[in-house]
Amino acid sequence: MADKEPKFTRDLPESRRRQLIEATARSLARYGLDGTTVRVVAAEAGVSPGLVRHHFAGMHDLIAETYRWTGKEVEKALRAALSAAPNSPEGQLRAFVDASFSAPMLDPDLLGVWLTFWSLTRTDPEIHAIHGKVYADYRRRLQMHIGGIAEERRLDLDARLAALAFTALLDGLWLEHCLDPTTFTAVEARQIAHDWVDNLKAGRFMATARAEIVTPAQAKAG
Amino acid sequence: MADKEPKFTRDLPESRRRQLIEATARSLARYGLDGTTVRVVAAEAGVSPGLVRHHFAGMHDLIAETYRWTGKEVEKALRAALSAAPNSPEGQLRAFVDASFSAPMLDPDLLGVWLTFWSLTRTDPEIHAIHGKVYADYRRRLQMHIGGIAEERRLDLDARLAALAFTALLDGLWLEHCLDPTTFTAVEARQIAHDWVDNLKAGRFMATARAEIVTPAQAKAG
DNA sequence: TTAAGTATTATACATACGTACAATAGTACT
DNA sequence: AGTACTATTGTACGTATGTATAATACTTAA
């Protein structure tokens, strides 16, 4: 009957902030933006509602912080996969594909979080700015590897346009697979993405369109 | 000083319902799901808040109804573009690409509405069901045309997988263009999508992967 | 012109939200 | 052991939400 257990335990601000951020991510995924309230997040983190305002300027700030954190978390996972892969442009691109449709990226909750942020991008200037930064990094890296392949193989291609196409394909596959995983499997998504890289290597990206500039062609369809 | 103007004008339920639905779509696009309240929608439609509950079971019902309406509206626009195009599989596919990156589809507000629904898909069973129906129709039509091209040209390809890839590419391009139109133009999106069709016609979809099954290949990257 | 029907308004109500603030109590340091 | 610090709690407040309901008045038909 000596020492009763404490009502709560203290924690370092940095640690507590991350707990709240992770709780927010879980809540966004499960209950959506509507369902993500101060009280829900606090309960999810196992603390009292008042603590949120002690560590963050407000609910809005907490959500913006959660975006930054999630973006970094994804980047970290991808970076890890890339560092374990061959250092060639193709090796990196292949690893990127595999990582995009593997463990941490396939978490259905991740899409839930991401959709919320995409929505907010249209309304909220702060979120919009964060979005721009996250995506610029993402595309720049892909474009670099695609440019590397083009150089190796002396292909005449628009690396920027190819990166746009590849990004769109990956995002589209990821989006639709997460929205309804019963439609197609992650393995099929990987196959499709790898096939795109196969065609890129073979110099088939925008090959027909370029040929038609050199040799004006007849009507395409009819 | 004879007849004073009426405080309000009556309307047929069907007409009023559509006004409220359109107001909801505008609100979702501009203010997001959070900002779309009974009072905001009513003000947007120019009626009193109470009228919403008279024509719909509740706010939730109005939003679900708005999803159905938006889905049909998009389908109507695409269908119009397709009926004006050549009736060949390729003609239809080309028209689909052009329509996907033309006038009504490029409305930034449309993405705003769509993102909201994608978010809700994860939380709300009713919205999830509507989503399944909308996308099944969408994919089925594309798969039909892709299958048609394969048949015409005697290509050995998995039409289902090709339709998945094409859908993902279109959705990804559309999503990213609408999220930030400064990154690339609608014309570039069209070019990329048409190039995919070019490669499909040439029998290059999944061609490398199939060849490797017949002739086991060496390691892909290193 | 009158009357019936109902689309429409206006108000009221319970609930849940974000925020503010004072009280509490773990924790580290002397 | 005592003390200062502050992370943490608990409660209270104003506001905005969705819904319910009664009163109003436009519109059609007799």
Side-chain angles (χ1 to χ4, degrees):
Chain A
M1 234 83 181
D3 40 32
K4 54 190 174 186
E5 60 186 22
K7 290 186 177 176
F8 61 88
T9 57
R10 287 193 162 202
D11 206 343
L12 293 170
E14 193 184 357
S15 166
R16 202 58 105 181
R17 279 175 63 94
R18 211 181 63 180
Q19 292 170 28
L20 285 168
I21 285 174
E22 291 182 10
T24 303
R26 280 196 300 276
S27 174
L28 284 176
R30 289 192 206 147
Y31 317 119
L33 184 60
D34 287 350
T36 300
T37 69
V38 173
R39 289 161 179 82
V40 167
V41 168
E44 183 75 32
V47 298
S48 86
L51 199 61
V52 169
R53 284 268 312 164
H54 186 261
H55 288 291
F56 296 90
M59 196 58 200
H60 181 84
D61 181 42
L62 173 54
I63 287 177
E65 267 334 292
T66 303
Y67 192 3
R68 284 208 188 80
W69 178 80
T70 306
K72 282 179 188 163
E73 210 64 13
V74 166
E75 190 175 326
K76 195 195 298 177
L78 291 180
R79 198 184 297 276
L82 293 184
S83 74
N87 199 22
S88 64
E90 181 181 356
Q92 292 286 295
L93 223 46
R94 300 284 184 188
F96 206 96
V97 169
D98 291 333
S100 294
F101 301 101
S102 297
M105 293 296 298
L106 291 185
D107 181 2
D109 285 1
L110 183 59
L111 175 70
V113 178
W114 219 251
L115 282 176
T116 302
F117 293 138
W118 278 340
S119 284
L120 285 176
T121 291
R122 297 187 32 76
T123 317
D124 189 318
E126 184 181 359
I127 299 283
H128 187 79
I130 300 175
H131 169 81
K133 226 179 178 80
V134 168
Y135 261 65
D137 289 357
Y138 180 67
R139 282 216 188 81
R140 184 157 32 76
R141 196 146 32 155
L142 286 179
Q143 182 168 339
M144 193 181 70
H145 297 140
I146 288 175
I149 289 183
E151 208 170 329
E152 275 182 2
R153 302 185 161 247
R154 309 238 181 282
L155 299 176
D156 170 34
L157 68 78
D158 184 340
R160 174 181 153 273
L161 207 61
L164 290 174
F166 193 48
T167 307
L169 181 64
L170 290 180
D171 274 5
L173 285 171
W174 181 73
L175 168 70
E176 284 164 27
H177 174 74
C178 291
L179 272 182
D180 190 353
T182 66
T183 311
F184 59 98
T185 68
V187 173
E188 290 176 318
R190 268 198 287 266
Q191 287 175 354
I192 290 172
H194 279 303
D195 178 60
W196 189 92
V197 176
D198 288 336
N199 279 327
L200 178 78
K201 277 174 57 186
R204 289 168 184 161
F205 180 74
M206 290 289 170
T208 309
R210 268 199 312 282
E212 287 182 359
I213 293 172
V214 179
T215 311
Q218 57 273 34
K220 279 187 167 184
Chain B
M1 242 34 187
D3 40 32
K4 54 190 174 185
E5 59 186 22
K7 290 187 178 178
F8 60 88
T9 56
R10 287 192 163 203
D11 206 344
L12 292 170
E14 193 184 357
S15 167
R16 202 58 107 180
R17 277 174 65 91
R18 208 180 67 178
Q19 291 170 29
L20 286 168
I21 286 174
E22 290 181 11
T24 303
R26 280 197 299 276
S27 174
L28 284 176
R30 288 192 207 147
Y31 316 119
L33 184 60
D34 286 351
T36 300
T37 68
V38 173
R39 288 161 181 82
V40 168
V41 168
E44 183 75 30
V47 297
S48 85
L51 199 61
V52 169
R53 285 266 315 162
H54 185 262
H55 288 290
F56 296 90
M59 195 58 202
H60 181 84
D61 181 42
L62 173 53
I63 288 177
E65 230 33 66
T66 303
Y67 192 2
R68 283 207 189 81
W69 179 80
T70 306
K72 282 179 188 163
E73 210 63 12
V74 167
E75 191 175 326
K76 196 194 297 176
L78 291 181
R79 198 184 296 274
L82 292 186
S83 73
N87 199 22
S88 65
E90 180 181 356
Q92 293 287 294
L93 223 46
R94 300 284 184 190
F96 206 96
V97 169
D98 291 334
S100 295
F101 301 101
S102 297
M105 293 297 296
L106 291 184
D107 182 0
D109 284 1
L110 183 60
L111 176 70
V113 178
W114 220 251
L115 282 176
T116 302
F117 293 138
W118 278 341
S119 284
L120 285 176
T121 291
R122 299 188 30 74
T123 317
D124 188 319
E126 185 180 358
I127 299 284
H128 188 80
I130 300 175
H131 168 82
K133 223 176 180 84
V134 168
Y135 261 65
D137 289 357
Y138 181 66
R139 281 216 189 80
R140 184 157 31 76
R141 194 146 33 154
L142 286 179
Q143 182 168 339
M144 194 181 70
H145 297 141
I146 288 174
I149 289 183
E151 208 169 330
E152 276 182 1
R153 302 184 161 249
R154 311 237 181 280
L155 299 176
D156 170 34
L157 68 78
D158 183 340
R160 175 181 152 272
L161 207 61
L164 290 174
F166 193 48
T167 307
L169 181 65
L170 290 180
D171 274 5
L173 286 171
W174 181 73
L175 168 70
E176 284 165 27
H177 174 74
C178 291
L179 272 183
D180 190 353
T182 66
T183 311
F184 59 98
T185 68
V187 172
E188 290 176 317
R190 268 197 287 266
Q191 287 175 355
I192 291 172
H194 279 303
D195 179 59
W196 189 92
V197 177
D198 287 337
N199 278 327
L200 178 79
K201 277 174 57 187
R204 289 168 184 162
F205 181 74
M206 289 288 170
T208 310
R210 267 200 312 283
E212 285 182 0
I213 292 172
V214 180
T215 313
Q218 56 272 34
K220 279 188 166 182

